[in-house]
Amino acid sequence: MVLLYNAEDTYFLSKQNTELAQWDTVRMLFEFALKHVGEDKESGVIWGEYIKFLQSGGPELLPAHMHAQTVLRQIINYTGPLFANEKDSLFLPSLPRFDPLDRALVGKWKAYIKWEESNPLKLDNKDKSRLISRIQGVYQKAVIRMRFMAYTWTNSIGKNNKALLILKAGLDANPSSFLLNFAYAEALEINKDHAEVHATYEKFLGILRANLDRLKKTSKPDATASAIISEPRSNVPLVSLQELQEDKMPKTTELEKHRTEYGLAWIMYMCFGMRAEDVKAFQTIFGKARRDLWLSWEIYEAAVLTEYHCSDDKGVASRIFEKGMESFGNEIDFVLRYLGFLISINDKNNARALFERVITTFEPNRARPLWEQWAWYEYQYGDLEAALKLEKRMAVVYMSDPPIK
């Protein structure tokens, strides 16, 4: 408010002394005022007076006059829709509904920010600090107006420590945001503040875990699948899944969706441990994840691929997959990833053993991807006799399929 008051005082003085002061001095006063309030929705009056002042300077000032008019029209076009629905001078941000209106508003803010970043005032390098100040001002408005939209907090200009403060403020407003937590953790990692990265991930996982627990209490799953989607996977007996027909299998629920997202947070944490510290740190984090009741199979797959690519240890990678089979042997996607991994490292004996071990544990309709993946392998790299035998087995299981399939 002090800055705005001083800027408007400067504008007032420039109006009163136009005839007495040198023209260039008055122009500088106008520019000083517009530097601080020029992007404000109430600055149209000052822009209008500035245009009139430029017009009074003679034909040689026509380019500047035209440019000022263009900027004025553009700023009205960009900012008008952002404040069109305001009835009171006091504004308090509200929780987003993520409906079409919210998405449209985000799009308008993005357009306004992009316009400011395009340097519409054509400021040269000597005025770079002024340009940065203007863009930072727009971002500050955006985070005030859309406090609970994570996107607005992830872009910052200036020194790194200020960017960290902005991200931290964004996390205070959006503690469960994946975007902000990952961005903040990455910024801390760049600064080598590993202890704070660990604290950030632990806090984030705690928030997500509490959300899962709360969602579990409020969800009302289908009775047939209640054992699957209302309890952590490690508590579900394998037979309960095998006995379900495909048409009775639960669809992807809100709880399952959040569990998968929770697994992503663990995976990012594990990646940090391997990348920034060492394999011991990665293994420690993975060990914590394995003991989590909301563990998802994607965490096991991520651990396998990390061990394989970073440690070049096929044996350890395969043992992790085998350990995962104890909890996720009923997950067709997990088994497919395991089979695909064994094929990719050319471990054909264990791949064949895995296929034969699991193929009878799934209903035919659920098992089709496994049949097709193994058939593809036999057709591509096996011998003709083995491929024909597999083809006959599939014909027995899928009798309604046409022969050409």
Side-chain angles (χ1 to χ4, degrees), residues 63-290:
H65 164 232
M66 296 297 293
H67 180 60
Q69 280 190 321
T70 301
V71 171
L72 175 59
R73 286 195 300 269
Q74 290 176 338
I75 200 169
I76 291 174
N77 290 337
Y78 280 112
T79 60
L82 300 178
F83 310 98
N85 297 325
E86 288 188 16
K87 297 179 180 179
D88 303 319
S89 57
L90 178 63
F91 174 83
L92 293 175
S94 58
L95 291 174
R97 298 178 300 274
F98 300 105
D99 57 12
L101 289 177
D102 276 346
R103 288 193 289 271
L105 182 61
V106 171
K108 291 172 183 176
W109 273 106
K110 286 182 178 181
Y112 178 32
I113 292 171
K114 186 177 181 180
W115 177 74
E116 283 288 0
E117 290 176 336
S118 70
N119 190 14
L121 296 181
K122 308 301 180 186
L123 300 174
D124 52 27
N125 286 334
K126 68 178 182 180
D127 289 326
K128 186 176 180 179
S129 60
R130 179 181 169 190
L131 174 63
I132 292 175
S133 178
R134 285 181 60 85
I135 298 174
Q136 285 179 331
V138 176
Y139 274 114
Q140 288 170 358
K141 289 182 182 180
V143 298
I144 291 173
R145 296 279 169 170
M146 298 194 297
R147 176 174 174 79
F148 303 109
M149 290 285 193
Y151 159 80
T152 59
W153 295 93
T154 55
N155 296 278
S156 59
I157 299 176
K159 296 182 179 179
N160 186 261
N161 57 352
K162 186 171 183 179
L164 278 174
L165 290 175
I166 293 173
L167 287 172
K168 186 67 171 63
L171 278 176
D172 291 339
N174 305 273
S176 61
S177 167
F178 283 78
L179 178 62
L180 287 173
N181 275 282
F182 292 162
Y184 185 56
E186 184 177 291
L188 291 170
E189 184 181 344
I190 292 173
N191 286 350
K192 307 297 183 183
D193 192 352
H194 294 172
E196 188 62 27
V197 177
H198 282 286
T200 298
Y201 275 114
E202 293 290 350
K203 181 180 178 181
F204 183 40
L205 287 164
I207 292 171
L208 297 180
R209 194 179 302 117
N211 288 343
L212 279 167
D213 292 337
R214 185 163 51 252
L215 187 59
K216 173 189 170 183
K217 293 178 181 179
T218 58
S219 62
K220 296 180 180 180
D222 180 76
T224 308
S226 60
I228 303 170
I229 59 178
S230 64
E231 292 293 334
R233 295 186 190 277
S234 57
N235 295 343
V236 181
L238 182 62
V239 67
S240 65
L241 289 170
Q242 295 170 353
E243 292 173 349
L244 291 173
Q245 300 294 332
E246 184 185 20
D247 59 346
K248 294 182 179 179
M249 286 301 295
K251 307 300 181 185
T252 301
T253 65
E254 191 73 10
L255 186 61
E256 289 292 289
K257 175 187 172 186
H258 283 282
R259 173 181 277 156
T260 301
E261 292 173 348
Y262 180 62
L264 174 61
W266 272 114
I267 291 169
M268 293 296 289
Y269 190 14
M270 288 158 50
C271 287
F272 156 73
M274 176 64 83
R275 179 178 61 232
E277 296 179 344
D278 53 30
V279 66
K280 293 293 184 183
F282 155 76
Q283 291 172 346
T284 299
I285 297 169
F286 176 50
K288 291 180 180 179
R290 283 179 53 193

Side-chain angles (χ1 to χ4, degrees), residues 313-367:
D313 195 328
K314 298 179 183 179
V316 171
S318 297
R319 287 196 294 274
I320 293 174
F321 256 132
E322 272 301 316
K323 190 66 178 177
M325 287 290 290
E326 296 176 8
S327 299
F328 303 104
N330 46 47
E331 290 277 4
I332 191 70
D333 289 332
F334 179 74
V335 178
L336 277 170
R337 300 299 177 90
Y338 186 11
L339 182 61
F341 173 75
L342 292 174
I343 291 173
S344 71
I345 63 174
N346 200 30
D347 189 353
K348 60 182 179 181
N349 291 332
N350 281 324
R352 181 175 284 104
L354 173 66
F355 172 77
E356 297 296 347
R357 172 162 46 114
V358 301
I359 196 61
T360 58
T361 65
F362 292 99
E363 291 292 327
N365 287 336
R366 294 186 65 211

